[in-house]
Amino acid sequence: MPVYEYDPPERFVAGTVGEPGQRTFFLQARGAGRLTSVALEKTQVAALGERVGELLDEIVRRSGGAAPVPAVVAAGSEDTAPLDVPIEEEFRVGTMSLAWDSERQVVVIECFEVSEADTDPELEGELDPGLNLGGDRNVLRVSLDGTVARAFAARALALVAAGRPPCPFCAGPLDPAGHVCPRANGYRR
């Protein structure tokens, strides 16, 4: 199973290519002269950003502030630069895992290549042997300190929020030409 490991990366960010409504979302890790870009869904970026933030909040709470995790994004740690080029998709992300390594005091994020079990409803809920038992799925694994993880979570959530504005009636995303609003009985707004 090919593993793209960055421990720690020089840079780890979520980013997009394209216009709102037509964006492709990526996670990108850079380090030691390598660049790895993996594609994923907007909902996956949102979930990862939220979960990393929640994990860090819990670590701060349980440690009473003693863990090397800032409660908020540290000034100057924000990464607002675009994705590095060339953006070449290594694989599409299916499942992800998130953990806190208390010995090393880092957040570990693993992104596994989409598998048949991720896309076939008949296989839903079955153990995927590629997760922890070997297999041939690609994996992106990054280890982030608390400051970098907090900045990653903030960027990921801001990226998701920067999409199309919501419809004031149904909260669905508005395209520049409007959309068919279910609250307007299917009429364009």
Side-chain angles (χ1 to χ4, degrees):
M1 150 176 71
V3 176
Y4 302 91
E5 184 143 12
Y6 293 85
D7 186 11
E10 292 169 14
R11 183 177 192 224
F12 180 65
V13 294
T16 62
V17 174
E19 295 297 317
Q22 302 295 319
R23 298 186 296 176
T24 302
F25 287 79
F26 290 95
L27 293 178
Q28 191 174 73
R30 179 184 69 212
R34 300 178 301 141
L35 179 66
T36 303
S37 301
V38 296
L40 68 169
E41 298 297 322
K42 177 181 180 178
T43 55
Q44 290 173 298
V45 173
L48 185 59
E50 289 169 7
R51 298 304 181 270
V52 167
E54 290 169 1
L55 175 65
L56 296 173
D57 291 344
E58 184 65 15
I59 292 162
V60 168
R61 187 187 69 75
R62 285 188 182 194
S63 73
V69 175
V72 295
V73 178
S77 67
E78 304 92 355
D79 183 343
T80 58
L83 293 172
D84 292 329
V85 292
I87 302 170
E88 296 175 358
E89 179 182 322
E90 298 293 339
F91 61 89
R92 179 159 286 282
V93 174
T95 55
M96 298 181 288
S97 70
L98 175 64
W100 173 253
D101 182 336
S102 58
E103 272 186 33
R104 296 177 45 224
Q105 298 196 343
V106 295
V107 172
V108 179
I109 299 170
E110 293 180 319
C111 301
F112 297 89
E113 183 176 23
V114 69
S115 71
E116 189 177 339
D118 296 329
T119 58
D120 187 343
E122 291 185 23
L123 297 176
E124 188 174 323
E126 288 188 21
L127 175 65
D128 181 354
L131 275 179
N132 295 314
L133 306 174
D136 59 356
R137 294 197 317 169
N138 291 312
V139 178
L140 170 63
R141 181 180 301 128
V142 295
S143 299
L144 309 172
D145 68 33
T147 301
V148 174
R150 184 68 77 183
F152 168 81
R155 177 180 169 133
L157 294 175
L159 181 71
V160 170
R164 296 175 286 173
C167 172
F169 300 104
C170 71
L174 285 174
D175 290 321
H179 76 123
V180 177
C181 183
R183 291 245 169 133
N185 294 324
Y187 290 98
R188 264 203 182 289
R189 290 218 183 254

